Amino acid sequence: MNRAALRERLPVLITAAVCVAMYVAVGLRFDKFFSLRVFFNLFSDNAFLGVIAIGTTFVILTGGIDLSIGSMMGCASIMAASLMQNGHWPAFAALSAALAFGALVGWCQGALVAFFRLPSFLITLAGLFFCRGVALRISQESVQIDNPLFNSLAGFQIQLPGRASITATSIVLFVVLIVCMFVARQTRFGRTIYAIGGSMASAELMGLKVRRTLIGAYTLSGLCAALGGAVFTLYTSSGDAISGTGLELDAIACVVIGGTLLSGGYGSVFGTLLGVLILGIVESAITFQGTLSSWWTKIVIGALLLMFMVVQKLIERAAARSR
Amino acid sequence: MKRLPQWAWALAVLALVLLFNLVLTPGFFHIEQRDGRLYGSLIDILNRSAPVSLLAIGMTLVIGTGGVDLSVGAVMAIAGSVAACLIARPAESPLGGINLHRSTPLILLAALFAALLCGLFNGILVSWLDLQPIVATLLLMVAGRGIAQLFANGQIVTFHLPSFSAIATGSLAGFPNPVWIVLLTFLIFAVLVRSTAFGLFIEAVGSNPVAARYAGVDARRIKLAVYALCGVCAGLAGVIGTADIRGADANNLGLYLELDAILAVAVGGTSIMGGRFSLIGSIVGALLMQALTTTILTRGVSPETTLVMKALVVVAVVLLQAPAFRSWAVGITRRRPA
């Protein structure tokens, strides 16, 4: 690998090293952590966060930010649950309606950002309020689901040795991961996203379809946020309008820890998955410890975020110097 | 014709909301005096908008430099927790060992000092490490509530100290104390930015950092100062919120208020890209937000509607501010035959 390629991959390599080091450190500290069961639970417990973080990676790669994803998750979750339970819609129709709503809101946000050059954090901030408001309008109490098809979907799992299992939610995560990795690296849409993040002006001068791609990125983010809500609904077998509060920050933290530059242009979908795993390892370590309180998660994530941002800055400065 | 100030839109909408209430909500403008204090929906709007107004004052300067501070809600929680723990001194709190003898001025200073440290932390990340403001302040937004919970050991720390509660619940010359605090803070900041070159420097840094540097403006020091001031404003808002309920809830104090503050600033005519700001506009914006909320509550509409309303208002105002939208709208109207 030549030096330029190495430098480009350095953030994600650091993340991978931290991820493995943390996994080993936590495993040495607590016995039973090195089991297949705990390993696969890392995926199934964080599947909704993973799906959402992967979707929003595209927006961040364009140099924007999407703050509406957390409340979109809550909105999709309560919408699907309420349509199934109170509206007696079939499971797939209800889930599709929630996904379509997510894509539609994402499309609107993208259109406002792309056509009128509005700051993305402001528009998606409004989206955050909007989705949370709609979610609470649908139902303020959480809605338990007893739809036979839905419950068989939620209960579906592939048994592995050692009482480990791959749940339906982890399968969704893997599918989203593979599709998004392909889209980011192998399609025109993906390459245009990286170009926009590098320099929007250059991308426009190159004749790339900047507006259409920007709208696509926000639509994808909204769709993935709604899909995250659907995964969360599968995970808990209920819909809850206030679920996902503050999740946008966790997701953005995962993307940054995964080595994606918030100024756009550099980063990878796979890095985001590593970021989600790091978050999951921190959370399960705190659960294994038992005496440490949950707020330590926030402080540890904050410290990790700071570390990664400083590392990114140092890499950027080194790159600028060698140019 | 003299050009209207940018916040004229917000003022017009505020007037419209009040007019709507004048016609349709009986008793909305009724103000009565009890025990030397005024009561009524209008006073309520002034009083309840105080925390957002304080946040908006600090946020205006930060946005003026082209930045944004997402951590103000978390800083409120930190300041509130510090104040509550120093008063109640629960044994499990790391701050339990510090004895300030329940002196309200000292406790107030300690809470504001904690908030100042948070602001300086943000400022250092933005100015010296040159991180993007959204990201740098995201850090404290995530970790800040954790720190606040650490201080309070995950509890809702309640206290009884009448002189401290009076910060939020007392009144002076008929008006609740928070209204006076906002007025005083506003006057101090107005003098600071308009009677000294500080405001000019902020606008210089916000509109063109490179040109500002060539003109000899030390952008780093200006940025450090605005984030520190924003932190102190958030601390003050946190103290009011804590004194109001005589307790600090690290999970919920100031939750989503950063969004309200940003909305108030944007609605108030401050350019969200930086380079042009209006303190009075931000106050008008905060009042408009609260007037909307109070109206919705007194009309008996469900409170969740406020969120949807706020979202639509902010999109409308931001669209009206955007040059791209204006030229597009003008193009549409010209093309159409009269």
Side-chain angles (χ1 to χ4, degrees), chain A residues 15 43 57 74 94 117 126 134-135 148-149 179 184 196 204 221 229 238 243 245 268 270 278 285 305-309:
Chain A
T15 309
F43 291 94
T57 306
R117 294 290 145 91
V134 169
L149 176 62
V179 169
I196 292 174
E204 254 165 10
S221 180
S238 65
S243 62
T245 307
S268 65
F270 187 70
I278 288 181
L305 204 57
L306 177 64
M307 191 186 97
F308 276 91
M309 290 194 303

Side-chain angles (χ1 to χ4, degrees), chain A residues 106-161:
Chain A
W107 186 89
C108 291
Q109 295 184 146
L112 285 170
V113 170
F115 278 102
F116 302 122
R117 294 290 145 91
L118 297 175
S120 57
F121 81 92
L122 206 64
I123 292 303
T124 55
L125 198 62
L128 187 160
F129 277 129
F130 181 80
C131 294
R132 190 66 73 196
V134 169
L136 287 169
R137 288 284 307 191
I138 294 175
S139 166
Q140 302 199 32
E141 278 99 50
S142 70
V143 175
Q144 197 76 26
I145 300 171
D146 52 13
N147 178 309
L149 176 62
F150 183 83
N151 286 352
S152 65
L153 206 62
F156 173 80
Q157 48 188 31
I158 300 169
Q159 287 297 333
L160 294 174

Side-chain angles (χ1 to χ4, degrees), chain A residues 162-229:
Chain A
R163 290 200 297 140
S165 57
I166 300 176
T167 57
T169 55
S170 340
I171 294 172
V172 175
L173 174 64
F174 293 136
V175 170
V176 169
L177 176 74
I178 290 164
V179 169
C180 285
M181 278 173 76
F182 176 80
V183 167
R185 287 291 176 194
Q186 305 293 333
T187 63
R188 179 178 296 183
F189 172 75
R191 283 195 298 274
T192 312
I193 290 220
Y194 279 90
I196 292 174
S199 162
M200 198 184 291
S202 315
E204 254 165 10
L205 289 174
M206 282 162 71
L208 297 175
K209 303 227 179 315
V210 170
R211 283 181 178 174
R212 193 186 289 175
T213 311
L214 269 179
I215 295 176
Y218 284 87
T219 311
L220 186 59
S221 180
L223 178 67
C224 280
L227 186 59

Side-chain angles (χ1 to χ4, degrees), chain B residues 279-309:
Chain B
L279 281 174
I280 182 85
S282 300
I283 301 277
V284 173
L287 286 175
L288 172 60
M289 286 295 152
Q290 189 58 47
L292 270 178
T293 311
T294 306
T295 305
I296 286 172
L297 289 179
T298 49
R299 303 280 315 159
V301 182
S302 57
E304 312 84 65
T305 318
T306 330
L307 291 171
V308 179
M309 287 284 288

Side-chain angles (χ1 to χ4, degrees), chain A residues 116 118-119 122 125-126 129-130 136-137 140 245 249 252 262-263 295-296 298-299 302 305-306 309 313 317, chain B residues 129-130 132 135 138-139 149-150 153-154 256 259-260 263 272 302 304-305 307 311 314 318-319 322 324-325:
Chain A
F116 302 122
L118 297 175
L122 206 64
L125 198 62
F129 277 129
F130 181 80
L136 287 169
R137 288 284 307 191
Q140 302 199 32
T245 307
L249 304 175
I252 294 166
L262 272 143
S263 42
W295 56 83
W296 278 104
K298 291 179 192 164
I299 298 178
L305 204 57
L306 177 64
M309 290 194 303
K313 219 62 222 183
R317 284 195 185 159
Chain B
L129 275 177
D130 204 21
Q132 284 164 283
V135 193
L138 181 73
L139 195 67
Q149 280 172 315
L150 178 70
N153 197 37
Y256 284 142
L259 309 181
D260 280 15
L263 293 195
I272 217 74
S302 57
E304 312 84 65
T305 318
L307 291 171
V314 73
V318 175
L319 270 179
F325 177 77

